[in-house]
């Protein structure tokens, strides 16, 4: 990895792709020339943050940012069942759709006196 380029103001060019599938979406992240250990995924409410941080030693407190992507997730995704899987140099964040019944239905109207 070209750490000096990153420290000098450059940012590693991460490739991010969102694939829509029948069961949900898959966010695919590839960070060329970086170790898969640099990836981090954080979820707060409906906001997903995927970022990479380089540490010279694993226990170093100081890290250099490599990339960051923040996504506001739509309400039809089930964030309670989200998971992240490393496939070689590619990170897959899998987010299934919620199991909702979108068929219209008629509501009964109650009468109060």
């Amino acid at each position: 990895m070209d750490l000096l380029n990153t420290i000098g103001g450059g940012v590693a060019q991460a490739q991010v792709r969102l694939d829509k599938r029948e069961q949900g979406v898959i966010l695919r992240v590839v960070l060329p020339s970086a170790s898969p250990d640099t990836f981090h995924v954080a979820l707060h409410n409906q906001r997903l943050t995927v970022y990479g941080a380089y540490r010279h030693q694993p226990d170093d407190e100081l890290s250099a940012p490599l990339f960051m992507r923040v996504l506001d997730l739509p309400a039809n995704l089930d964030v309670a069942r989200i998971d992240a899987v490393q496939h070689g140099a590619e990170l897959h964040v899998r987010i299934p759709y919620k199991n909702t019944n979108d068929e219209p239905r008629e509501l009964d109207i109650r009468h109060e006196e």
Side-chain angles (χ1 to χ4, degrees):
M1 172 175 17
D2 187 0
L3 179 60
L4 295 177
N5 181 36
T6 302
I7 291 175
V11 177
Q13 188 64 32
Q15 299 170 1
V16 179
R17 186 176 84 214
L18 188 66
D19 293 338
K20 294 181 181 179
R21 303 290 171 104
E22 189 174 314
Q23 297 86 12
V25 297
I26 299 175
L27 178 69
R28 298 173 186 269
V29 181
V30 177
L31 187 60
S33 73
S35 166
D37 297 337
T38 63
F39 289 117
H40 299 275
V41 181
L43 178 67
H44 184 258
N45 297 324
Q46 290 291 119
R47 179 167 282 183
L48 179 73
T49 304
V50 180
Y51 64 97
Y54 175 79
R55 296 180 192 282
H56 185 66
Q57 297 291 331
D59 56 347
D60 283 350
E61 290 186 24
L62 182 63
S63 65
L66 297 174
F67 79 99
M68 177 184 285
R69 295 289 187 276
V70 178
L71 301 166
D72 289 322
L73 302 176
N76 67 335
L77 294 177
D78 190 351
V79 295
R81 297 186 318 150
I82 192 171
D83 72 341
V85 179
Q86 190 73 41
H87 289 279
E90 187 170 277
L91 174 69
H92 293 185
V93 180
R94 302 179 301 195
I95 314 166
Y97 292 120
K98 288 183 178 177
N99 294 328
T100 59
N101 185 0
D102 289 341
E103 295 178 20
R105 64 184 178 104
E106 181 133 357
L107 299 177
D108 292 326
I109 301 173
R110 293 188 341 223
H111 298 280
E112 293 183 359
E113 311 247 350

